[in-house]
Amino acid sequence: MRALFVAGAGTEIGKTYVTAALTRRLRAAGRPVRALKPLASGVPPHDHPDFADSDTGRLLAAQGLAVTDGAVAACSPWRFEAPLAPDLAAAREGRSLAMADLVAWCEARIASAEPGTHVLIEGVGGLMSPITAGETGLDWVKALHLPVLLVSGSYLGAISHALTAVETLRAHACPLLAVAVSESAGAPVPPETVAEAIGRRAGAPVFCLHRGADCPEALAALAFPAEPPRSPDTSA
Ligand SMILES: Nc1ncnc2c1ncn2[C@@H]1O[C@H](COP(=O)(O)OP(=O)(O)OP(=O)(O)O)[C@@H](O)[C@H]1O
Ligand SMILES: C[C@H](N)[C@H](N)CCCCCC(=O)O
Ligand SMILES: [Mg+2]
């Protein structure tokens, strides 16, 4: 597998945290990776002190990339300052975006990735957060035909949010690779308890990331299995 889509059961629950952790894990194993946040709202200009805390800033840092005009545009070509749904954030700036352009950009980035490079695409907000006036993140996932890594929190209510997203993916024949439960601050139960409840019903493996934790090796191995060593060519 060369690319996957990191979708959320909601917003502010850990998609960027998990994407960055997976990126660092792959890089530490010497495996090239591109982490993309094609569409980002709530992003200040990249010379602003808060840029480092934006999704784009955090994904560039995880990739070891300097904050340059080119690197920012190559990670997040559609950036809006207002921390709102993308369609609303775009409208605040008198701009708009087209799903076809977003999908075409993602497909081109996957197609042009160096051989062996893994591509992670982080979505926006929750699975069905609006992208344009008429389309949601689900439409984006469906158009890309990529396996989905669904990120959940562990706050009270996260189980239902995650399973609602799982059912939605299933109803639309979107392949669910795994669920990652990223521990929410102040959660009333350990993330394993949430993961177990999701796992019983999700029909996919579920992984936990505690506060501040690295990406589990097993998640990286499932997402991007190591290529088997080539057997020697004995045909000559
Ligand atoms: N496992 C974790 N350990 C420590 N901090 C975490 C963890 N998961 C999430 N966070 C923190 O919670 C906040 C929200 O997480 P994050 O930005 O990854 O959410 P998101 O789902 O990507 O949000 P958005 O919808 O804006 O893209 C961030 O400050 C992030 O660092
Ligand atoms: C600003 C925020 N952190 C995200 N970038 C956008 C979240 C949009 C959520 C829209 C919704 O589903 O209501
Ligand atoms: Mg994010």
Side-chain angles (χ1 to χ4, degrees):
M1 184 197 307
R2 288 191 52 227
L4 64 80
F5 193 98
V6 181
T11 188
E12 299 282 329
I13 47 150
K15 292 183 303 297
T16 305
Y17 186 89
V18 170
T19 306
L22 179 53
T23 298
R24 290 197 181 91
R25 167 72 69 198
L26 291 167
R27 287 183 65 221
R31 304 178 68 184
V33 55
R34 275 290 153 261
L36 308 173
K37 173 84 184 188
L39 172 56
S41 56
V43 185
H46 61 278
D47 54 1
H48 191 283
D50 291 344
F51 177 80
D53 292 330
S54 69
D55 286 18
T56 310
R58 287 156 61 204
L59 293 183
L60 291 180
Q63 295 170 86
L65 296 172
V67 178
T68 62
D69 289 357
V72 170
C75 181
S76 301
W78 287 273
R79 301 179 305 284
F80 304 108
E81 283 200 48
L84 297 172
D87 57 335
L88 300 178
R92 289 264 174 112
E93 299 179 21
R95 299 163 63 195
S96 63
L97 71 148
M99 179 65 80
D101 293 340
L102 180 62
V103 170
W105 186 88
C106 294
E107 289 175 341
R109 288 304 305 264
I110 294 167
S112 65
E114 293 287 312
T117 298
H118 307 304
V119 180
L120 304 174
I121 297 180
E122 184 191 335
V124 171
L127 180 63
M128 292 200 65
S129 291
I131 302 291
T132 65
E135 292 148 312
T136 69
L138 177 64
D139 296 306
W140 187 10
V141 171
K142 285 167 73 174
L144 285 176
H145 303 290
L146 294 178
V148 173
L149 172 60
L150 179 69
V151 177
S152 166
S154 65
Y155 54 88
L156 186 63
I159 299 169
S160 176
H161 291 168
L163 291 175
T164 301
V166 167
E167 286 299 326
T168 303
L169 289 168
R170 191 177 285 149
H172 290 266
C174 300
L176 175 63
L177 177 79
V179 180
V181 177
S182 195
E183 184 178 5
S184 308
V189 295
E192 286 80 4
T193 305
V194 174
E196 196 274 329
I198 295 171
R200 255 184 284 140
R201 300 164 178 99
V206 185
F207 300 87
C208 283
L209 284 87
H210 284 262
R211 297 296 292 174
D214 292 336
C215 175
E217 267 181 47
L219 171 54
L222 177 75
F224 297 112
E227 301 270 328
R230 292 231 180 104
S231 50
D233 184 355
T234 51
S235 59

